[in-house]
Structure formats: C-alpha cells, structure tokens
Amino acid sequence: MRTALLLPLFLFATPALASFVPPEGCTATLTVQSRGCYVANYYTCEKDNPGDKWRADFDQEGMFYLSKIDRETQWIESYDLNPTVVQTLDPNPKDPANFSNLLATGRDDFEFGLSKDNGEHSNVKGFDRLTGDSVTIDGVTLKRTEFDYVETDDAGNELRKARGFEYISEEYRNFFSGQSEWWDGTQWLPLEGSPVQFHMPGDKGFGATQPIFECDAVMSEATPLERLWRASDGR
C-alpha cells in the first residue's frame, strides 16, 4: 500500500512539472507557499481513515519529503526521499499527540516512539502550547503555538531537539511551521518557515511544485539543515 501510494508521486517530484497531482483515489486540498523556499501540497485519500491527511514537500529540486498525520495530528508515517527512508509511529504511544486536547486546554504534551525501515528507533517527548495570539495570513486565521521537543535513541542519547513557534488552523486541523531554533549539537540555529500564501482548489497557485519565497537566500546557504528542519516537523 505504501509503495503503491508513493510511486505515482515520483512522477510529479521534478521541478519541470508545474502542477502537483496526487495518487489515484486521492484529492488535493491545499497548497501552502512558505518562507525558506519550500511549498507543501496537502491531500486526502479515500482508503485512509477519516481525518487522515498527507503532505508532500517540494524545494527547487523537487519533492523531498512526504508525511501522513491523523485527525489528532499524530505522526503516522513519513518518507525522506533520495534515498527513501520510511518512518512510522510505534503502536500504543505513551502520550499520543492530541490536537483536540490542545484546542480545549491550551496545551498538549506528547511522548511516543518512531521506527525507521532501516532499523533505527527513536523516542520523542515534548509539548505544544497555545500562546493566545491569533494572526491572519493570506486570509487564513491561524493560532500561534509554542513548542519544545527532544528526540532520543533507546539509550537516552539526544538525536535532535527543537523549540520555537508554529501556527495551527482549526479549519484544516493542521500545524504550519513558524520561527524556531534547532540544536545542531553545539549551538541553537534559527530557522524560519512561516506560511506566506494559501492556495485552495481553483486558485492560480494551487498545486504549485516550485517554491517562490526566499529561494535565493536558501540556495546560498547550507541546505541539509533546512531539510532536517522540515522533515522534523512531520505534521
């Protein structure tokens, strides 16, 4: 199922193709152009559970990341591309991410395990918190959140950690990147991926696979950390 779902997307992962086309049985729902030179296309599939969503991320070279969340924004599965590595949520998480709880109480703590098909395993622990601020970006109302999380291996060694701010949409039941800091092992590095444009079906920019914001700046810097940052936020 995963391979069958992924293969059609490879056909649309190159910069030469202007419009995103989801796999058969799936429907594209939203395109988001963000700072930091990347664009995300969201879609849903008939065979998935109600509320499940997919996100395909593109940079100037094509699609580099694919992820799936459920209605409560749990990381269900993700694919790092070139080479392809599949990561899935372990069964029975200790404290599953819960979007409804975040909206109802203003804070959601989470703790869960992740497994990769290359044998690697990690554990994630952190929180999301509503700051009380709301913003409107390109006509879409978003609530601002604060987050902090650490990912460790089974021996307790830190693999990565991050903190910062994101945005959520009650309408789309989704998180969108914001201003954050990511620990590279020696220092905190600032990163910015806030949404700039939202395109719905019928809009001129809907289905775009070429990012348009801050691409010159990104191309002049080291890009591996940028990709790490995007792939870390699998929601």
Side-chain angles (χ1 to χ4, degrees), residues 190-208:
L191 292 167
E192 168 65 271
S194 298
V196 179
Q197 293 179 350
F198 291 85
H199 299 290
M200 291 69 175
D203 291 347
K204 183 178 179 181
F206 182 71

Side-chain angles (χ1 to χ4, degrees), residues 32-49:
V32 181
Q33 289 277 4
S34 298
R35 297 182 61 181
C37 192
Y38 85 105
V39 57
N41 282 283
Y42 296 79
Y43 62 98
T44 59
C45 299
E46 296 173 358
K47 294 182 179 180
D48 287 338
N49 295 322

Side-chain angles (χ1 to χ4, degrees), residues 149-223:
Y149 83 81
V150 60
E151 185 174 2
T152 60
D153 62 20
D154 289 334
N157 300 306
E158 286 188 358
L159 300 176
R160 69 183 70 175
K161 58 183 177 180
R163 63 192 182 191
F165 300 92
E166 295 179 309
Y167 302 96
I168 61 169
S169 165
E170 291 188 66
E171 177 184 0
Y172 294 108
R173 291 188 71 86
N174 220 323
F175 281 80
F176 301 101
S177 296
Q179 295 178 328
S180 58
E181 293 181 311
W182 301 83
W183 183 252
D184 71 347
T186 58
Q187 61 182 330
W188 288 100
L189 300 177
L191 292 167
E192 168 65 271
S194 298
V196 179
Q197 293 179 350
F198 291 85
H199 299 290
M200 291 69 175
D203 291 347
K204 183 178 179 181
F206 182 71
T209 59
Q210 274 291 291
I212 59 177
F213 294 105
E214 300 182 350
C215 290
D216 291 340
V218 170
M219 291 301 289
S220 67
E221 298 173 357
T223 58

